[in-house]
Amino acid sequence: MRKNNFVVYSFLLAFFFISALHAQTAISIKNPKDAPVISKHIYGHFSEHLGRSIYDGLYVGEDSPIPNTDGVRDDLIQALKDLQIPNLRWPGGCFADTYHWRDGIGPQEDRPTIVNQWWGDVTEDNSFGTHNFLNLCEVLGAEPYLAGNVGSGTVQEFSNWVQYVNHDEGSPMAKLRKENGKEESWDVKFWGVGNEPWGCGGNMDAEFYADLYKQYATFLTSWDKDTEMYRIASGPSGNDYHWMEVLMKEIPAELMEGVALHSYSVIDWSNKGPASEFTEDHYFATMTEALKMEEYITKHTAIMDKYDPENKVGLIVDEWGGWYEVEEGTNPGFLFQQNTMRDAMIAGATLNIFNNHSERVYMANLAQAVNVLQAVALTQGEQMILTPTYHVMKMYTVHHDAQLLPVNFESPDYTYNGESLPAVSVSASKKDGKVAISLVNIDSKKENEVELDLGELDVEGMTATILTSDKLQDHNTFENTENITPGEFKDFKIKRGKLELTIPPFSVIVLKSE
C-alpha cells in the first residue's frame, strides 16, 4: 500500500511539474476608444560626436569612395529610411555642452578644430556641422532634435542658433545662414536645453538647473512664426525622483514642453561586462536593469501627473539602451560594442514599456544609431551590418502613430539563481483598422505558451514575424551579415477569438492582422 501511495505521489508530482512547464499565460487585449496614440517619436535615434558615430560612421566625406550623399553613407541613409526613423538627436550627449555651433558652419576649410574632451581626446575638424545634420534629416524625412550648449555656452549663443535655423529673414543669423547657402529655414521643432546637468553637463543640483533652464527657455522662441517650439528640460537619471520633482514644481508649464529621462542597462559602471562573450549571470543582471524602465517611468509619471494633470509635458527618454565594455583592442572612449540577441531582448521589452506608457512617453532616443553602444548599424570601411536591435525596431514600425490597445496579464517568471523577472512583455496597437501585437520572451531557456483574447478586436487572420537565434550571444558580423534576421512565424492558431502560440526562448514576435 505504501508503495502504491509513493507511485501515485510521484505521478502527481510529475504531472504538476509538466503542467507548470506548459502553463498557458492568458492575455486580454482591450479596445477602448479613448486610448492614447503611440507617438512615432518613441522610435527615435541618437547620434553624438562620439567615437565612430559621426566620422567614419554617418559621415565619410564627399570625396570618399564609399557611395554617399553630401558625405553621408548611402547604405546607412537607406537603412534608416527603411526603419522609418522619426527623429534624430544631435550633437550630444556630453559633447553638446562643449559644442559651439558656429564652429561647424561656413566653408569647411575655414572651420576650426576641436578636441573632443569627453570621448577619446580626439581632434575633430568640424566638417560635419549644422547644415550637414539638418540636410541629412531632410533626406531621411526625420525631425531633427538639437541639443544646445548650456554647460559651457551662453543664452545668446543658444538663441542665435535658434535664429540661424528657424528665422526666415530679417535677422543677422538668418542673413548668415543665407550666406552659407541655405535660403529657407529648417523650422526645427525639438530643442534640448543642455544635457545631463547633474553630471557631464555641469555637476549642478536640480534647483540651480531649474533656474538656469527658465532663463534659457525664455529666450528660445519662434518669434511670429508658426513653428512650434518643443523645449526639453534635461531631466533625471534613472531613479532620481527628486530631480523630476524640482523641475516639475519650479518650471512653469508655458516654458517646458518635455522633460528628459536617461536610463542605461548597465550591470555595474566599474565592470560593465562583455558585449558578446557574456554569461547568463551577465544576461540576467542586464535584463534586471533594463526592466527597471517600467518602475522609472511609472514613478516619474506619478510626479508629473501631480504638477501636470492635463498631461501637457511629455516624458522624453532621450538616452536608453545596453552599455557594456568596449570590444577588445578598440579605444575605450569610443564605446564600440557588438550587438547580440541580448540587445534584441532589451529593445523589444523596452519598446513594449514605452508603448504601454504612451499617454506620457512622447519621445525616446536609442543610444546610438551607428558604431556606438546599442547601435542599429555597424560599419567597417565599405561594409555595413544591421544589428538585432535594428531588426526589432523595424518589426515595431507597425506601432508608429497607432492607437494603443491596452493589455492585461500576469507574466510567467524567468528564474535564475533564486531570483525572478517577468519573462513575457506585450504591447498592442491598432491603425487604419489593422491590429499589431508585439511579444517578447526574455527567458534564456524556457519557451512560454500564451493565449491572447482577441474578442474585442474583430480579427480573423494574422501574419507574424519572429527574431530569434540559437544562442543569446549570437550576432551579425562583417563575415556573416545575416546570421540573425527576422523570419516568418506560422506556429500559432486562432480559434473562436483566441490566439494561441508558444514564444521560444529569447525571441521577439510581431503579429499583424490581415
Side-chain angles (χ1 to χ4, degrees):
M1 189 66 180
R2 288 181 180 175
K3 182 177 180 180
N4 288 341
N5 286 342
F6 177 78
V7 170
V8 171
Y9 180 70
S10 299
F11 174 79
L12 290 173
L13 278 177
F15 174 79
F16 285 120
F17 178 73
I18 293 171
S19 297
L21 285 177
H22 295 279
Q24 193 174 68
T25 299
I27 302 171
S28 65
I29 304 178
K30 302 300 180 183
N31 187 20
K33 294 181 179 179
D34 60 349
V37 169
I38 299 170
S39 169
K40 66 181 180 180
H41 290 297
I42 284 173
Y43 292 83
H45 295 264
F46 175 32
S47 284
E48 181 173 2
H49 285 248
L50 196 174
R52 294 173 53 244
S53 171
I54 301 297
Y55 301 109
D56 198 35
L58 273 176
Y59 188 76
V60 292
E62 296 180 35
D63 296 331
S64 172
I66 299 171
N68 67 84
T69 299
D70 295 329
V72 179
R73 301 178 64 113
D74 286 340
D75 53 2
L76 188 57
I77 287 174
Q78 188 58 55
L80 294 177
K81 280 185 174 181
D82 292 343
L83 211 52
Q84 299 175 35
I85 174 174
N87 66 74
L88 185 60
R89 181 176 180 241
W90 176 86
C94 291
F95 182 81
D97 282 306
T98 61
Y99 183 67
H100 299 283
W101 66 271
R102 295 189 71 151
D103 292 345
I105 62 172
Q108 289 193 353
E109 62 272 17
D110 296 336
R111 298 179 188 179
T113 57
I114 182 176
V115 175
N116 192 331
Q117 67 185 68
W118 288 111
W119 307 116
D121 280 331
V122 295
T123 299
E124 300 187 8
D125 63 3
N126 277 304
S127 55
F128 188 90
T130 296
H131 287 248
N132 307 82
F133 174 71
L134 295 180
N135 290 340
L136 169 62
C137 288
E138 286 187 341
V139 170
L140 294 173
E143 292 265 14
Y145 172 11
L146 293 175
N149 184 344
V150 171
S152 67
T154 66
V155 175
Q156 184 68 61
E157 180 182 14
F158 202 151
S159 179
N160 283 346
W161 200 15
V162 176
Q163 273 196 38
Y164 187 86
V165 303
N166 278 6
H167 208 191
D168 282 328
E169 56 187 341
S171 73
M173 293 299 105
K175 181 174 181 290
L176 179 60
R177 183 193 69 244
K178 293 172 186 284
E179 291 172 356
N180 287 327
K182 184 69 165 69
E183 187 66 27
E184 296 181 354
S185 62
W186 287 281
D187 293 342
V188 174
K189 174 181 178 179
F190 297 112
W191 294 88
V193 183
N195 172 79
E196 297 187 0
W198 36 262
C200 62
N203 284 305
M204 307 172 194
D205 59 31
E207 291 77 9
F208 181 88
Y209 173 73
D211 283 342
L212 194 62
Y213 173 88
K214 287 183 286 188
Q215 180 187 9
Y216 272 78
T218 299
F219 294 93
L220 302 184
T221 173
S222 295
W223 298 277
D224 57 352
K225 292 189 62 178
D226 294 330
T227 302
E228 179 186 354
M229 289 284 289
Y230 197 99
R231 296 158 297 186
I232 299 168
S234 188
S237 173
N239 63 354
D240 188 349
Y241 303 113
H242 171 74
W243 191 281
M244 180 66 79
E245 185 91 32
V246 171
L247 266 55
M248 292 303 299
K249 180 180 180 181
E250 298 297 332
I251 299 174
E254 62 268 21
L255 288 179
M256 179 173 67
E257 286 71 42
V259 59
L261 169 67
H262 289 182
S263 180
Y264 286 99
S265 305
V266 181
I267 298 173
D268 183 339
W269 286 104
S270 63
N271 182 17
K272 294 183 284 292
S276 55
E277 300 302 321
F278 55 88
T279 64
E280 186 162 7
D281 282 339
H282 292 125
Y283 174 65
F284 190 89
T286 302
M287 295 313 301
T288 299
E289 295 303 313
L291 295 185
K292 286 181 181 177
M293 185 68 78
E294 174 72 33
E295 173 189 338
Y296 297 157
I297 290 178
T298 299
K299 291 185 176 181
H300 285 301
T301 294
I303 296 170
M304 297 176 75
D305 287 347
K306 182 167 64 172
Y307 297 98
D308 177 35
E310 295 180 358
N311 204 30
K312 294 181 179 179
V313 179
L315 183 58
I316 313 297
V317 191
D318 59 17
E319 290 189 28
W320 67 274
W323 192 326
Y324 322 115
E325 301 294 347
V326 302
E327 296 298 333
E328 186 175 353
T330 64
N331 188 324
F334 283 12
L335 305 187
F336 178 80
Q337 60 190 41
Q338 252 300 348
N339 195 288
T340 68
M341 282 301 299
R342 171 173 62 175
D343 297 283
M345 296 301 98
I346 293 172
T350 302
L351 292 169
N352 282 341
I353 292 170
F354 293 160
N355 288 348
N356 289 325
H357 287 277
S358 54
E359 185 173 8
R360 182 62 79 172
V361 179
Y362 176 68
M363 180 191 289
N365 301 82
L366 176 69
Q368 292 187 16
V370 55
N371 289 336
V372 172
L373 297 177
Q374 193 174 336
V376 296
L378 303 175
T379 66
Q380 179 178 282
E382 294 186 359
Q383 289 184 282
M384 183 188 74
I385 58 175
L386 303 177
T387 68
T389 298
Y390 177 94
H391 294 306
V392 171
M393 296 200 81
K394 188 173 181 182
M395 291 164 67
Y396 276 50
T397 56
V398 291
H399 294 304
H400 290 199
D401 285 341
Q403 185 180 38
L404 178 71
L405 297 173
V407 297
N408 184 39
F409 71 106
E410 290 290 331
S411 172
D413 287 337
Y414 163 34
T415 301
Y416 178 72
N417 279 350
E419 298 183 62
S420 295
L421 294 171
V424 174
S425 70
V426 185
S427 67
S429 67
K430 182 175 67 174
K431 185 177 181 180
D432 299 328
K434 303 293 184 182
V435 171
I437 306 167
S438 48
L439 303 109
V440 179
N441 176 21
I442 68 167
D443 200 302
S444 64
K445 295 182 175 64
K446 191 177 75 175
E447 62 186 22
N448 276 291
E449 297 180 4
V450 298
E451 180 189 76
L452 296 100
D453 186 348
L454 308 178
E456 294 189 21
L457 304 181
D458 191 28
V459 170
E460 294 183 0
M462 302 195 86
T463 59
T465 304
I466 187 169
L467 188 74
T468 190
S469 194
D470 294 331
K471 296 191 305 178
L472 273 165
Q473 295 81 2
D474 285 348
H475 54 275
N476 293 329
T477 67
F478 294 103
E479 295 73 35
N480 186 357
T481 61
E482 297 188 356
N483 185 40
I484 299 175
T485 56
E488 187 179 9
F489 182 75
K490 293 184 175 181
D491 192 17
F492 65 92
K493 59 183 179 181
I494 301 176
K495 189 175 182 180
R496 290 193 290 271
K498 301 289 180 69
L499 186 152
E500 295 182 352
L501 76 155
T502 299
I503 317 174
F506 57 93
S507 62
V508 180
I509 296 173
V510 174
L511 300 116
K512 297 179 288 185
S513 63
E514 296 175 333

